[in-house]
Amino acid sequence: MSQTLRQRLQACLAGGSRADKALASYMLARMSSLPFETAASLAEKVSLSEPTVGRFCRTLGYRSLKDLKASLADEIGDSPWLISDRLRDFQQRSRAGDDQLARSLELEIAGLVRLYELAQSEDWKRVARRLASAPTVYITGFQTERGLAQYLANQLQYLRDGVHLVDLAAGNFSELLLPDEPGRCLVIFEARRYSRMAKVLAREAKAAGIATTLVTDSFCDWGRGLVDEMLVVSTEFNLFWDSTAQMASLSNLLINAVFVELGPQVEQRLNRMAELYGRFTGHVGDNSGPLD
């Protein structure tokens, strides 16, 4: 097809029937949500019949609504196009072959939904406010969760001052526990089998009056009573090892929440950070830095 879907819809507005014009107008106004529509939902919203929707798609040069939606891939970029159709097809194929990955996908989707529900909780809002306003934020993780802690710390450093990744090598956590600095806070990432250091650190932070958030799995039985909040994510997805991937998703949501708390003024800091990176390191294709 030489024309894009948008061009075909616009042409239809000029010379189509009343039903065609109604469908074309609706689709043009809601291109980003089209991947989630069905023939039935479109028919109901435009007060037409399902066969009319199918005929309209064929008039535009597509075999069906599904074929029309497939053409959206190039027009809406990386949006989650066809996600409902793709999930349905994957599920049907997987179940037909008793594929264990189908069960893993279902568990991951359910866990992600719970994560977004968690992001609406009072605990979550309290953590976001603290990470935005505390004079100093310390973040740490143990064993395989060290990288998750570094990810959150590095991202928050773009948004505000006073964010530190706790030094594990020193073995004493003195940078966190020794200063007489009211209002500082701590975020710990940990999943089973839990490091002894994580529990000891949480206990010491509590004794020092440091507000502490523990990002962990649903099996953690030692955190409550030692920390101010436990942000619990799903880790069992029918795989060989437990997966802490949703802790990274949690970090992304938390960074967004902190950004909202800080407000538009954070843009100046982000621009300044970009300038400094360009000056010292640079990006591919950006000639402002010392390297190409």
Side-chain angles (χ1 to χ4, degrees):
M1 296 182 181
S2 57
Q3 288 184 311
T4 66
L5 172 59
R6 189 180 296 275
Q7 290 170 330
R8 290 168 183 269
L9 291 172
Q10 290 171 338
C12 189
L13 288 177
S17 66
R18 180 182 298 178
D20 289 351
K21 289 179 179 179
L23 281 165
S25 178
Y26 181 87
M27 289 183 175
L28 282 169
R30 297 166 177 82
M31 290 284 284
S32 62
S33 64
L34 276 183
F36 307 100
E37 298 283 6
T38 64
S41 67
L42 280 174
E44 181 180 0
K45 291 172 181 175
V46 191
S47 300
L48 297 170
S49 66
E50 288 187 51
T52 300
V53 174
R55 179 197 55 77
F56 174 70
C57 294
R58 291 189 292 275
T59 298
L60 293 177
Y62 301 98
R63 295 187 300 273
S64 62
L65 178 61
K66 182 176 180 180
D67 186 33
L68 180 151
K69 291 193 293 184
S71 72
L72 283 170
D74 295 331
E75 296 190 45
I76 62 177
D78 294 328
S79 297
W81 60 285
L82 289 179
I83 188 66
S84 59
D85 291 340
R86 291 163 66 193
L87 284 174
R88 189 180 303 110
D89 289 345
F90 178 83
Q91 187 180 57
Q92 291 172 349
R93 292 196 310 271
S94 298
R95 285 182 173 174
D98 192 27
D99 193 336
Q100 294 299 309
L101 283 179
R103 179 57 179 159
S104 298
L105 178 60
E106 291 174 350
L107 290 171
E108 290 229 41
I109 292 172
L112 191 59
V113 170
R114 286 193 294 272
L115 180 54
Y116 273 77
E117 291 172 344
L118 176 62
Q120 299 295 322
S121 68
E122 290 304 315
D123 278 356
W124 181 279
K125 295 172 184 177
R126 184 167 58 252
V127 173
R129 288 192 295 267
R130 185 185 302 134
L131 294 182
S133 62
T136 311
V137 176
Y138 295 90
I139 303 172
T140 190
F142 302 88
Q143 305 175 106
T144 53
E145 287 68 60
R146 288 176 298 169
L148 293 161
Q150 182 171 3
Y151 174 74
L152 178 61
N154 290 161
Q155 294 284 63
L156 282 180
Q157 285 166 351
Y158 272 83
L159 301 184
R160 51 155 295 169
D161 289 324
V163 178
H164 304 282
L165 183 67
V166 176
D167 178 17
L168 300 182
N172 54 33
F173 302 102
S174 58
E175 74 270 36
L176 168 68
L177 298 172
L178 287 185
D180 183 14
E181 181 186 23
R184 66 193 186 280
C185 66
L186 171 66
V187 179
I188 300 174
F189 285 82
E190 183 63 327
R192 65 172 184 178
R193 299 174 63 189
Y194 313 101
S195 169
R196 177 181 178 276
M197 283 196 297
K199 184 176 181 179
V200 174
L201 178 59
R203 183 188 302 133
E204 292 291 328
K206 180 179 176 63
I210 301 170
T212 300
T213 303
L214 175 61
V215 181
T216 188
D217 56 31
S218 57
F219 303 99
C220 182
D221 59 359
W222 55 265
R224 300 200 184 278
L226 290 182
V227 300
D228 294 80
E229 302 91 13
M230 283 180 59
L231 301 182
V232 178
V233 303
S234 301
T235 55
E236 283 198 312
F237 302 123
N238 199 37
L239 301 172
F240 175 69
W241 267 323
D242 287 359
S243 170
T244 55
Q246 291 200 2
M247 289 186 179
S249 297
L250 179 146
S251 292
N252 287 330
L253 289 174
L254 201 52
I255 291 161
N256 183 73
V258 172
F259 178 85
V260 172
E261 288 289 332
L262 291 172
Q265 68 271 17
V266 78
E267 182 179 2
Q268 183 176 356
R269 178 181 176 86
L270 291 172
N271 290 337
R272 180 59 176 151
M273 291 282 282
E275 290 173 5
L276 288 171
Y277 189 88
R279 184 176 304 168
F280 286 96
T281 306
H283 297 92
V284 173
D286 180 2
N287 295 324
S288 62
L291 302 176
D292 187 5

